[in-house]
Structure formats: C-alpha cells, structure tokens
Amino acid sequence: MTILKFGGSNFLGLEGYDRVARHIAQRLAAGENKIVVVVSAMKGETDSLKAQMLEVNKEASPSNLDAALATGEMLSACRLEAAASRLGISVTSLNGYGLGIRTNSEFGRAKVESVDPGPIRSALQEHDVVIAAGAQAIDQSGRLTFLGRNSSDLTAIITASMLEEHACEIYSDVPGVYTTDPNLIPEAQLIPEIGYRTIAEMSRYGAKVLHHGAVEYAERHGVTIICKSLTSDGVVTGTTVTGHGNARSVTVAREAVVMSFASVADRANRRALLDQNGITTIDVEQNDRPGLCVMSDTDFAMRLVEGTGIPPVSIGSTMVVTVLDASVPRVHLIGDYERTVSLARQLHEQMYPGAVAERFGRG
C-alpha cells in the first residue's frame, strides 16, 4: 500500500488535480496496488473561507469555524476524485466523518485521541484509490474538528501509521527541506536526510516545511517521511526524514504574530498558557509594552489568548529570522521584507560559507 500527500501548492488551479490524477494513474500502471492520497485545500482557499466566515460573524464559534474551514479540504478531495475517475481509476473519497480519526473537542487544533483503520480498509477493498480530506476528524460527539492550519501532513502520517505503513510521501512545490527558504534565498542548500526533532524545531520557528505535529507523530510511530516534488519532468525526491540526521538552518517566519500586554504578569500568564499547548513564543518589547511573538500555530494561539477574557492591548505581525544550530536559537525580529531577506542571506552565508560562490560557479 502507498500513502501520498499533496499540499495546496500542487493545486494552484483546477489543472493541478488533473496532473496529480495522472501521477496516480502512472503509479497504478507501474504495479502499485492500493493507494491512499491525502490532500490539502487548494492554495489560498482556507484563508478565503476564514475571511468569509468572519465577515458574516466576527464572533463565529470555534466549532462553526472548524466545520467551515474543513470544507476546503473536502472540496479538494472531491475534485481529485473527479479527475481520477475521468481517467478510469476505481476511486472514492472520504472526509473527516469517515476517516476513522477521533479527537478531543479543542476546536481550532484538536488533538487525536483514537484511530480506527476500518473505514479506510473497507474503502480500499472496493477501490484502488482512496482520496482523504486532510486536516480534519470528528470528536467523540461526532462533530467535525480541525487539526490546525497546514495539518494535512498530520492526517497523512496518522493514516500511514494506522494502516501499519512505515513510509509516507509528501509532495510540495519544493523537493525537500533546505538550509533556509529557497523561495527567498537561492543559495539555500538541499538537506538529503534530516532527523525528526531537527525538522520539528525548524517548523516551530516558522519554516514552511513539514507540520511539526506531523513530524512528532511520525517519530512516535516510526513513520519515515519522504519529501518530494511533482514537476513537469517527473518526480524529484529531496529529503528523507528519519530518526537521525542533524542540520543547521536559518528559518524565516513571514507571518509571526506579536501580542502586546498591559503588564509583565499578563505576558507571563499568557506565555504559560501557550507553552502548555506546545506553542513557540519569544518575549519581546512592543511599543514600550511587554509582548509575545508567536512563532507557530498563530490562529490557535490567538484563540487561546482571547478565550482568557483579557485580550492583548494590541496585535500586530512581523517577520522573524532564527538561526538554529546546536546552541540556543538566535532570534532576530525584523519588520521589513528586504531587510529580513538580507539578514537571512547574511546569516546563512556565515553558517554555510561558500554557498553563494558554489551556487553561482565562483570559488
């Protein structure tokens, strides 16, 4: 059995579903028997759904928002099913109600409590391919829950684990994990092999790599992650995520959230709350007030803080550059895009001297 996951960058338009469907057909023609494909929402669709919901009701309930946001992945699964069916593939799709994943009722970033492989195994008995909507499940009361932003990776790893498969292929717009963001800094170096904990830390500090919850789940359940990219020339394999392999990196968080509080005590209380929920934060000073820079799970973090009944004095955004090596992370808050990229490039060159020369054939 093969487990594949395709992120939103594979679905920039409807033609993306045809391209992925052709890849699935090629895998079947090559002799692969049963395939489960987990999909993310089309690029930009989750943000659009959230904006629509908040335009209707700025205080929409967390359960209402979860149900709405999950429809992005549901639509993506339906589109890919339609594209695969047109190619004559025996295919069906499942969403959170039928995936066999149960969570608690912590809407916004629900935690997995139990899994049942039965529904997917039953679907595979009747079809060669099952398309699964990512990032969603149901709670013990049968209500739809959202596993968090960018958490379709987690759905894919959970699926591989409960089907007793030890590998999962994850496809994005880049073939693997780099020493820094290759979309910002061309000198970035591809990392062929990396350890679970290293890449989870990169994710927690804002790197657009694998979802940290997915990586942590993969480590606990022994699932190897193989990062790939689907190109016009075929499949490119970049990085394998296993139990070993260290790498230094410079991460760039483009959308970190900064919350300012009325007092140091308020900040300390909110930091403790976020720490309890595994959210990475950094103490900062914002407009002469104590503040927190939230590096990961920003939507869920804001929901937690607002739920305390004492909202932040102000909420803003910034860009953050972090150096991750064997020592304590070194964090630089920069608000300006050009200065952020310049600093990230400078720090990356210090970490990997000669990378620029190698990239452009000098040295």
Side-chain angles (χ1 to χ4, degrees):
M1 189 184 305
T2 304
I3 313 297
L4 312 176
K5 182 265 175 175
F6 289 89
S9 60
N10 291 281
F11 307 123
L12 301 180
L14 294 178
E15 66 279 359
Y17 297 95
D18 291 327
R19 186 170 64 133
V20 172
R22 290 195 298 272
H23 177 70
I24 294 169
Q26 290 168 2
R27 302 284 290 256
L28 291 171
E32 295 186 34
N33 187 15
K34 300 290 184 178
I35 301 176
V36 178
V37 184
V38 177
V39 294
S40 298
M42 181 182 284
K43 190 172 179 64
E45 197 155 30
T46 302
D47 287 333
S48 176
L49 288 166
K50 181 182 177 183
Q52 291 172 35
M53 289 297 297
L54 296 180
E55 185 175 349
V56 173
N57 181 2
K58 291 182 179 180
E59 298 181 356
S61 70
S63 60
N64 188 199
L65 283 172
D66 272 20
L69 295 183
T71 62
E73 278 76 13
M74 290 180 183
L75 276 171
S76 205
C78 290
R79 293 179 186 126
L80 185 55
E81 179 187 354
S85 178
R86 191 172 65 179
L87 296 179
I89 296 171
S90 173
V91 60
T92 189
S93 61
L94 299 173
N95 58 40
Y97 291 107
L99 288 175
I101 304 173
R102 293 267 183 168
T103 69
N104 63 8
S105 300
E106 203 167 310
F107 297 102
R109 200 191 66 177
K111 296 177 182 176
V112 176
E113 293 188 338
S114 65
V115 297
D116 174 13
I120 295 181
R121 289 196 186 280
S122 295
L124 287 169
Q125 287 179 354
E126 298 182 21
H127 302 279
D128 294 329
V129 176
V130 172
I131 313 295
Q136 59 196 261
I138 56 172
D139 68 6
Q140 301 301 332
S141 299
R143 295 175 297 178
L144 199 68
T145 57
F146 201 52
L147 302 179
R149 290 296 298 270
N150 306 312
S151 62
S152 291
D153 289 348
L154 178 56
T155 304
I157 300 302
I158 292 170
T159 301
S161 174
M162 70 179 178
L163 294 176
E164 300 180 325
E165 295 296 323
H166 299 293
C168 177
E169 301 175 22
I170 293 187
Y171 290 76
S172 68
D173 57 344
V174 292
V177 181
Y178 287 77
T179 52
T180 191
D181 187 342
N183 293 312
L184 295 179
I185 302 171
E187 302 86 49
Q189 306 289 296
L190 181 67
I191 303 171
E193 185 173 5
I194 193 169
Y196 296 115
R197 296 184 184 182
T198 302
I199 194 171
E201 185 178 36
M202 291 172 65
S203 176
R204 287 189 175 279
Y205 278 90
K208 295 293 185 182
V209 291
L210 299 168
H211 185 271
H212 60 81
V215 176
E216 290 158 2
Y217 197 98
E219 181 178 21
R220 291 197 302 272
H221 296 272
V223 177
T224 297
I225 303 172
I226 305 165
C227 301
K228 297 187 175 186
S229 183
L230 191 59
T231 72
S232 57
D233 297 325
V235 175
V236 178
T237 301
T239 304
T240 301
V241 183
T242 63
H244 50 84
N246 294 319
R248 297 170 298 157
S249 65
V250 176
T251 68
V252 180
R254 305 192 208 185
E255 300 172 350
V257 170
V258 178
M259 303 181 185
S260 298
F261 300 96
S263 68
V264 172
D266 282 350
R267 176 175 68 182
N269 289 335
R270 302 305 177 272
R271 188 198 316 113
L273 172 66
L274 298 178
D275 285 348
Q276 290 170 9
N277 286 273
I279 296 172
T280 303
T281 63
I282 301 164
D283 284 358
V284 297
E285 298 299 319
Q286 185 79 356
N287 300 323
D288 297 325
R289 291 184 181 274
L292 279 178
C293 181
V294 181
M295 302 293 296
S296 64
D297 302 289
T298 54
D299 286 353
F300 186 61
M302 292 173 65
R303 187 179 297 181
L304 285 174
V305 171
E306 290 168 357
T308 63
I310 305 176
V313 174
S314 65
I315 299 175
S317 62
T318 191
M319 299 183 72
V320 181
V321 177
T322 305
V323 176
L324 297 171
D325 53 25
S327 59
V328 176
R330 288 174 283 151
V331 181
H332 306 265
L333 272 68
I334 309 290
D336 178 77
Y337 176 83
E338 291 185 359
R339 287 175 55 229
T340 297
V341 174
S342 176
L343 176 61
R345 178 177 283 112
Q346 176 186 341
L347 293 171
H348 185 265
E349 173 63 16
Q350 292 174 3
M351 181 175 285
Y352 291 94
V356 175
E358 180 179 337
R359 169 75 181 181
F360 295 102
R362 301 192 300 273

